[in-house]
Amino acid sequence: MSIIPQSVTEFPWRVLGLLAAIALFGTLVLYSAAGGSITPWAINQGVRFVIFAVMALVLSRIPLELFARFAFPAYGAVLVSLVLVELIGGVAGGSQRWINLGFMQLQPSEFMKPIIVLAVAHFYAMLPVGEIRRWNAIWPALVLIGVPWALVLVQPDLGTATMILAGGITVMFLAGLPLRLFIGSGLTVAAIIPIAFSFLHDYQKKRVLIFMDPESDPLGAGYHISQSKIAIGSGGIWGKGFLQGTQSHLQYLPEGHTDFVFATMAEEWGMAGGVFLIGAFMLLFRWGIRVSLRTPDKFARLVAAGLTTTIFFYMAINLMMVMGLAPVVGIPLPFMSYGGSSMLTVMLCVGIIMSIDRSTKRTTRIGNWA
């Protein structure tokens, strides 16, 4: 008999170890970005990871049925919070995204990223199989996605709105809706882009234009992307060495500890560091997809795949952003960018996937015993 309780051995220690490795690497990068100081970024990031890791483990013990039962109530609560943001939310940096609770600033839109996946997945789990190709399988999901997307877009927060839209549409695709629906929608969106562009805020228009031609204003609006490319390219294969970066240490690279932390990392750790980081994230995605494929429950399958792709969108959009392959929309790199919002969201996703994995393994054991 093992002296270690079974409840402890059931924890997904390999996944936690993988996340800890990414977070430790991120802490080292933030330590360097602060000029070799453990404060203010590195120590805070490490403490946040420990707290959110415990939160994920607690979520992993919650029965899967509770996530399905409270998917719609949680969606409604966050939706009300988004409305309250418009009514009484605080304004910072030209955006109205937070509710002041006294002891903290709450950003409800962050919670909508995983909850939109739960809500849309619950809708399709309840939908009869024969209804999947009818209009009744489309418009309710579009309403579920569209209302919070619009509320977040007017804050304005284009990055978070994009993540909400991507997460919800991904679940719709995975639910088995006809492919022609997505192809037609894509062509329609492409056709209305010129019209939608005219409704963007001036700073958002500038981001799109600079994305298309960053060299047109290298010292102005295109400064972020230009300096990011310089930092990434100057790192070469092995990098300049830990604490030896110049772009970030000499303040050439703006937001080197938040949105452009990958450029800070690539300058010092080079392509080798980038390959390690991307490879670690790929292992995390592989685990999430395998959990989705193993579970027999439709709701669990959609949620695991949807939350995994939500984490993927975080990484993919940020890397494309810092490399100049996408407009700068303020999407942080999980476990690397300084800040608690993205880490909280990702750990919520990880905790729910852990719960699905635990439920699947328990069902399998019961089936074997039977």
Side-chain angles (χ1 to χ4, degrees), residues 32-33 231 245-253 256 264 267-268:
S32 177
T246 56
Q247 294 299 112
S248 57
H249 291 178
L250 298 178
Q251 306 300 316
Y252 286 111
L253 180 65
T264 300
E267 184 183 22
E268 296 189 356

Side-chain angles (χ1 to χ4, degrees), residues 94-220:
S95 299
Q96 189 173 359
R97 306 175 185 176
W98 299 271
I99 298 176
N100 188 353
L101 299 180
F103 61 94
M104 67 173 292
Q105 296 284 340
L106 178 66
Q107 186 176 353
S109 57
E110 282 296 325
F111 294 100
M112 186 54 77
K113 294 175 186 177
I115 287 176
I116 192 66
V117 172
L118 290 172
V120 177
H122 187 44
F123 166 72
Y124 283 111
M126 296 188 304
L127 192 72
V129 177
E131 298 286 328
I132 196 65
R133 292 182 174 273
R134 298 182 180 179
W135 177 241
N136 289 337
I138 301 174
W139 73 263
L142 292 179
V143 171
L144 285 172
I145 300 168
V147 174
W149 173 81
L151 289 173
V152 173
L153 191 64
V154 299
Q155 289 182 354
D157 189 352
L158 180 60
T160 301
T162 301
M163 291 289 293
I164 292 172
L165 181 66
I169 294 299
T170 297
V171 176
M172 293 181 68
F173 175 77
L174 296 173
L177 292 179
L179 184 60
R180 64 178 183 273
L181 173 66
F182 298 94
I183 296 176
S185 299
L187 295 175
T188 302
V189 169
I192 65 175
I193 282 179
I195 301 175
F197 182 80
S198 63
F199 289 95
L200 294 178
H201 292 263
D202 290 339
Y203 81 94
Q204 293 172 332
K205 292 180 180 178
K206 186 175 293 185
R207 284 180 177 179
V208 176
L209 295 174
I210 289 301
F211 156 67
M212 298 175 67
D213 186 15
E215 284 74 24
S216 63
D217 189 9
L219 298 179

